[in-house]
Amino acid sequence: MAARALDGIRVLDLTTPLGEATGRVLADLGAEVIKIEPPGGCESRFAPPFAEPPNAAAPRPESPGGDPEQSLFWRSFGLGKRSVVLDLDEQADHERLLALVRTADILIESSTPGEMAARGLGFDALSAINPMLLYLSISPFGQTGPHARHPATDLTLSAAGGLLNMTGDGDRPPVPVGLPETAHLGAVQAAADVLMALYSRNRSGEGQHLDCSIQAAVLWSLMYVSDYGAIGQDPPATGDDRSGRTGSQEIIPGLTLPVIEPCKDGYVAMVLVLGAQGAFGFNACMNWIGERGGLDDDLTEIDWMTWIQQIQEGKLSVETANRALDQFKAFLKTMTKAEIQEQAVLQKWLISPINLAPDLLEDPQLAARDFWVDVDGDRQPGPFARLSGTPIEYDRPAPRLGQDQALVEALDHAPSAPTSSPTRPRVQAFEGLKVADFSWIAAGPLISKDLANLGATVLRVETETRIDTLRFLPPFIGDPGTTTGHTAANMNQSKLGIAIDFTKPEGLAVAQRMVEWADVVVENFTPGTAERLGLGYEQLREINPDIVMLYTCMRGQTGPERKHTGFGLHGAALGGFTGITGWPDRSPCSPWGAYTDFISPRYALAA
């Protein structure tokens, strides 16, 4: 078996379902994650949804939470973990946990703030016996403040973080993502945070307490909503004017751009206007439809690359543009999701099918990447990242209750963790780390932003030949322009900036000098672009053999649809989030914003 990224790291997992995803990410990366369970099993074993028992005609066991052996939640989030049963109200088992703590690197808990300390298991007590311990607390509202001990559900966390208000039609109450999901935003961020803290601990020799608020993680997910907050405003159609909002977008009075539209066998999600990418994709789409007789003759004569500019200049009427959009939508209704997807990949349309579970199981891109894996007879989603040197492998299904009790029995012979012996004063986690940031828009810059905020020197590259779409997003400080956007500034805070023309040899030479200097390279171009520029991983290794390179894109670097162009709206549609969100008597509703851009940076940071 190949080495794994977190080989040798021991994690004690005392979380509720609120933080179960944290240990799952660490287990994926190779840590030994020991689930500490009470007699009868942890809460997650009783969390829905449930599979049908092997004998479907047999009644379920009389349990208020369902059959623990059939919890699909536990089968998924317990994957790769180990199980030890300890009754922490019993002195002997309490001592056994303390013995485990002495051997551990990380402890994760998601109890109500104050409960662990009341049981003698708070950070102060445990760090006294293991000064190198990283103690991670995940809670709805953080460990301090007036709401610290407030109860919460997935729905109320979505509301408290601001995400709920942003999703749904304006004439009805807001709706959450269709399955409980919000807590995972905090739990996966917590996994990335504790790994960054592990890097710091390995330099200083000292552990620390990490306080992860799910509410704060959700707010972080709203991207430019917080930018409006910084200037004291609500984003359009989210405050008192919310009732006027629909699933469509109006950027010019009287011109309504579709976002979700029906096709022959379902729905598709689209972005028709957003920088150069939006213009290119819509132009290609309209020309293709026109060639097939889907547009009136006069509409085929319009330059759809510049149609919005033409309306603004009075050269194209809103009525004509709306007639074209109506014919565009009518043509989509004659096409299946698969037919639309084929052309979207070929021509860079910013349109994606809204996948449901059967679509995901048959998705040709996922199939080509061997994404679905079999773990003990269960079909499970595959690795969240492909690590070339330390791959994620699944060889342990979710454990049976107490399956690894031998770990407790071996405690008498287990060495304790080393005591703190810092070699120098604690510094910022990534002080001295050098990052060459070739990413743009949102998902890539959010990754390098966290590195920069923790002390790394991040040198970000842009090009005037294709200005970053992020620079066109509101709100603006002063007049709208490419240098006044609050969102672009927020996502690139703490970084240095440089402009390079990659089409010139001198520009490429500067990029290669950056690689010589850097420890890490981050990029999120369309797959194949980095290689074409001479900046692919194998090419960069010849310049700097120790380089760590992160590729992040919508569909992965390999497979027949790897070059599919899109934003987080499309990622949410492809990934199945959009198809389960909304009202049953209406079209699906996309989770607010570039939803997968909120998720992927957290996994990428952990990787």
Side-chain angles (χ1 to χ4, degrees):
M1 182 186 299
R4 301 188 186 184
L6 295 180
D7 273 350
I9 299 300
R10 171 169 282 189
V11 180
L12 305 183
D13 185 348
L14 286 81
T15 59
T16 64
L18 200 70
E20 201 73 68
T22 305
R24 167 63 198 271
V25 170
L26 301 180
D28 275 13
L29 292 170
E32 178 192 45
V33 179
I34 304 172
K35 188 72 183 177
I36 307 297
E37 304 194 60
C42 66
E43 218 179 302
S44 295
R45 290 184 181 272
F46 300 92
F50 298 98
E52 286 298 321
N55 179 4
R60 291 192 186 278
E62 292 298 324
S63 167
D67 181 354
E69 296 303 318
Q70 302 303 327
S71 168
L72 297 177
F73 181 92
W74 172 246
R75 289 188 195 177
S76 178
F77 288 100
L79 191 71
K81 299 180 183 179
R82 302 174 186 271
S83 171
V84 165
V85 176
L86 294 176
D87 184 347
L88 299 181
D89 293 324
E90 296 289 335
Q91 185 62 31
D93 277 358
H94 189 280
E95 292 298 327
R96 291 186 180 99
L97 177 62
L98 296 182
L100 275 172
V101 167
R102 292 185 179 94
T103 71
D105 299 279
I106 299 169
L107 183 142
I108 320 167
E109 62 91 13
S110 57
S111 301
T112 301
E115 283 188 1
M116 292 290 283
R119 304 176 81 175
L121 298 173
F123 171 69
D124 290 340
L126 299 191
S127 64
I129 64 174
N130 181 355
M132 294 186 72
L133 183 70
L134 296 172
Y135 190 109
L136 173 58
S137 296
I138 304 166
S139 60
F141 303 104
Q143 297 295 299
T144 59
H147 294 169
R149 296 178 63 84
H150 277 205
T153 65
D154 196 83
L155 180 65
T156 62
L157 285 171
S158 179
L163 179 60
L164 183 63
N165 180 62
M166 306 300 295
T167 301
D169 298 329
D171 63 338
R172 289 187 179 180
V175 293
V177 176
L179 288 172
E181 147 82 13
T182 308
H184 301 328
L185 296 175
V188 178
Q189 180 64 42
D193 288 346
V194 81
L195 290 178
M196 292 190 283
L198 183 66
Y199 184 91
S200 176
R201 187 212 67 174
N202 291 348
R203 302 174 74 185
S204 70
E206 295 184 56
Q208 60 178 303
H209 187 195
L210 285 76
D211 174 2
C212 177
S213 159
I214 292 174
Q215 180 194 30
V218 174
L219 178 59
W220 181 94
S221 302
L222 299 185
M223 295 204 303
Y224 87 105
V225 173
S226 59
D227 293 298
Y228 273 96
I231 62 172
Q233 298 179 15
D234 285 321
T238 63
D240 293 338
D241 58 348
R242 185 182 186 280
S243 62
R245 187 173 80 208
T246 68
S248 299
Q249 178 187 20
E250 187 175 75
I251 62 169
I252 292 174
L255 180 73
T256 301
L257 298 176
V259 176
I260 305 293
E261 285 296 320
C263 63
K264 191 172 184 178
D265 60 348
Y267 293 88
V268 291
M270 62 190 74
V271 174
L272 302 185
V273 179
L274 189 57
Q277 284 178 297
F280 181 90
F282 188 58
N283 181 64
C285 184
M286 293 298 276
N287 288 341
W288 188 85
I289 291 174
E291 290 168 0
R292 282 149 185 80
L295 298 178
D296 293 341
D297 289 344
D298 65 312
L299 299 179
T300 63
E301 302 299 320
I302 295 172
D303 178 8
W304 294 104
M305 277 289 292
T306 61
W307 68 297
I308 296 297
Q309 181 180 346
Q310 293 174 54
I311 294 174
Q312 293 169 332
E313 294 174 350
K315 298 176 181 177
L316 176 67
S317 71
V318 170
E319 292 74 20
T320 299
N322 278 326
R323 175 161 56 94
L325 288 173
D326 287 341
Q327 293 180 22
F328 159 77
K329 292 186 287 186
F331 198 88
L332 291 183
K333 290 179 181 178
T334 70
M335 301 176 68
T336 65
K337 289 190 286 188
E339 290 168 343
I340 293 170
Q341 175 68 354
E342 179 183 10
Q343 296 305 317
V345 173
L346 287 174
Q347 302 187 53
K348 298 186 184 299
W349 298 357
L350 293 182
I351 305 177
S352 294
I354 294 178
N355 284 333
L356 302 175
D359 303 311
L360 290 169
L361 293 173
E362 300 300 324
D363 184 281
Q365 176 70 5
L366 296 179
R369 288 171 59 81
D370 297 321
F371 177 72
W372 299 104
V373 295
D374 182 275
V375 184
D376 197 38
D378 277 344
R379 186 185 245 184
Q380 295 274 7
F384 62 83
R386 290 188 171 186
L387 284 69
S388 62
T390 53
I392 294 172
E393 298 177 359
Y394 297 116
D395 52 8
R396 291 180 60 87
R400 299 183 307 276
L401 182 61
Q403 177 178 309
D404 302 285
Q405 206 68 19
L407 291 171
V408 176
E409 297 167 2
L411 286 175
D412 291 341
H413 310 289
S416 295
T419 57
S420 176
S421 55
T423 57
R424 62 176 182 170
R426 192 193 294 271
V427 296
Q428 283 189 285
F430 293 120
E431 184 175 315
L433 189 75
K434 300 182 291 292
V435 181
D437 183 3
F438 296 111
S439 67
W440 70 318
I441 311 183
L446 285 171
I447 299 163
S448 51
K449 167 186 169 178
D450 265 16
L451 302 179
N453 284 340
L454 288 174
T457 299
V458 178
L459 182 54
R460 182 166 187 259
V461 173
E462 293 187 76
T463 173
E464 289 185 344
T465 60
R466 192 172 191 181
I467 296 175
D468 190 341
T469 304
L470 196 65
R471 289 189 173 271
F472 297 99
L473 296 184
F476 297 98
I477 308 300
D479 294 332
T482 57
T483 62
T484 57
H486 198 287
T487 301
N490 185 11
M491 293 188 195
N492 291 290
Q493 61 187 241
S494 306
K495 303 177 187 177
L496 305 175
I498 187 173
I500 290 179
D501 186 343
F502 287 111
T503 65
K504 295 182 178 179
E506 297 89 345
L508 185 58
V510 172
Q512 291 172 340
R513 285 180 60 195
M514 288 175 60
V515 173
E516 290 179 18
W517 161 84
D519 303 296
V520 176
V521 170
V522 179
E523 74 89 41
N524 63 343
F525 302 135
T526 300
T529 302
E531 283 72 17
R532 179 173 53 79
L533 293 172
L535 298 173
Y537 176 59
E538 293 302 331
Q539 295 157 315
L540 299 191
R541 286 182 68 192
E542 295 181 6
I543 300 172
N544 182 350
D546 293 328
I547 201 75
V548 172
M549 184 169 185
L550 173 70
Y551 290 91
T552 176
C553 66
M554 192 162 70
R555 308 222 68 190
Q557 296 296 306
T558 60
E561 297 184 4
R562 66 189 183 279
K563 293 191 176 183
H564 187 193
T565 302
F567 301 110
L569 173 92
H570 305 100
L574 289 164
F577 293 107
T578 305
I580 59 170
T581 302
W583 296 91
D585 61 333
R586 290 187 176 177
S587 301
C589 181
S590 180
W592 182 81
Y595 192 66
T596 51
D597 284 11
F598 314 156
I599 299 169
S600 62
R602 294 168 156 139
Y603 283 102
L605 273 171

